[in-house]
Amino acid sequence: MKILAIETSCDETAISIIEADGSFNDAKFKILSNVVHSQVAEHAPYGGVFPALAKREHSKNLTQVLFKALGLDLVSKSQVILANPISNDKLKEIEKILDREPELLEQFLELIPTLEIPDIDAIAVTHGPGLEPALWVGINFAKALSIVWNKPVIATNHMLGHVFSAFMDEQEFSISDIQFPMLTLLVSGGHTELILMKDFGTYEKIGQTRDDAVGEAFDKVARLLELPYPGGPEISRLAEKFDSSESQQAPKLEFPRPMLHSKDFDFSFSGLKTSVLYTVKKIGKLTQADKEEIAHEFQQAAIDVLVKKTIQAAQKYGAKIVILGGGVAANNKLRKQLTEAVEKNLPNSIIQIPDIKFTGDNAAMIAIAAYFTYLKSGFTKEPLKIEADGNLSL
Ligand code: KG4
Ligand code: ZN
C-alpha cells in the first residue's frame, strides 16, 4: 500500500510517500520521498512559532512541497496540459473546502489538474495535536486532494508519528518484534509526556507537563541568554562547550529539578525557567562563560527530571521498550543519559531512539503511523468531516 502523508501541525510543511506492507507484528516500509519545508527562518523574529504565520506559510508552500514529494518541478502556465481536469461539481466542493486558504485554492486549481493521479492508495493527514490554524491547512488540502484523486483518507495522530519515528531508517526498514508494554517519552516544543502503549490500539498518557513543554523551556532560556530561535540546539551547543572547556571548574550554579521526587509522572519546567531568569538578572552582564555554565546547568536539570521519571515509569509498568521521540530527542546529552539509565536500571528492556534526522516533524513518520492506524481501524469513515483537534490525545 502506498500512502501519501501530509503534516502541517506546527512549523514544518511536510509531505512524504511511503510504501507499506505486512501486519502489526511484521510491517515493512520503504520511504519513497520525504520532503520537509521548514519555516524556522520566518518564525525566528518572533522567538517562537506564530500560529497565523504558520497557517499562511503552509498555504503558500503546500502545493510546491507536494510536487517535490512527487518528484516533479512546478510547471509554468505556458506548459500546462490538464492531465486531470476538475469537473464542475468537484470544483464547487473544493472552493468550499479551501475557502479559508485563498492562496492555496488558487495554486490548487491552477496546478493540481496538471498532475496525473499519482500511484497512491491513500492520503494520510495529521489532525492533531498541534496548532489548529496550521492543522486545518493540511486537513483541507488532504480533503481537496481526496476529492480530485478519489482516494481514501487516514486521519493520523501526530504523537503516534513521533513514537514510530524511533524505528525509522533511511530507506527500507521493518518494524517487527514490537513488544508491549512500550513506554515513550515525547519531548517537543509543545509536548512533554510519557505515553504507555499496552497494545497497538491502547495508549495511555501516564504523565505530562503541568506548564511549559521542555522544548519551550529550552527556547525561553535561550532567549534569556540572547540566543537565536530555536533555542534547543543553541543551548546544547553551549552546554557542550562548558563540558569541553579546558579551564572547567565544578559548576557553581545550581538550578532546581522540579517535581523530581513527586509520586506521579508529571513534569513542570516553568519554575526552572524562572530560576534561570533570576540568575540572569542577578549576574547582570553575562559573559560567554556565564552563558555556557547556565546552559549546561539548565540542560542537566531538565534531563535529570526527564530521565528519572522515565525510568521510574518504565519500572512501574514493566516497559519492554523505552522510546524517546520529538524535537528535543535531538539533544545528544538526553540521548546518551537516557540510554545509559535504561541499560543500567532496566536490563530486560531495550531503548529505541530515532536517528537525529527524524526527531523533528516530518511526514514519513505520519505515513507510518497512518499505516498502523489503518491496520487497526481502516480508512477514516467520513473524511470530509475530519476536524483539527489541537489537543488530540492518543
Ligand atoms: O518536534 P518538534 O520539531 O516540533 C514540535 O514542537 O512539535 O520540536 C521542536 C523543539 C523546539 O523547542 C527545539 O528547541 C527543540 O525541539 N530542540 C531541542 C534540540 N533540537 C531541537 N531541544 C534540546 N536540544 C536539542 N538539540
Ligand atoms: Zn512534533
Side-chain angles (χ1 to χ4, degrees), residues 53-70:
L53 178 63
K55 173 187 153 82
R56 210 155 59 227
E57 287 293 312
H58 289 314
S59 289
K60 194 166 90 190
N61 297 320
L62 260 174
T63 312
Q64 191 174 357
V65 171
L66 172 70
F67 271 67
K68 259 199 190 161
L70 292 169

Side-chain angles (χ1 to χ4, degrees), residues 9-12 158 162 187-191 214-216 218-219 229-234 236 299 326-332 359-361:
S9 69
C10 193
D11 62 341
E12 336 284 349
H158 181 81
H162 278 302
V187 277
S188 74
H191 294 268
V214 65
E216 193 180 351
F218 269 85
D219 295 336
Y229 173 84
E234 298 288 331
S236 88
Q299 175 175 280
V328 183
N331 186 282
N332 274 324
T359 54
D361 290 346

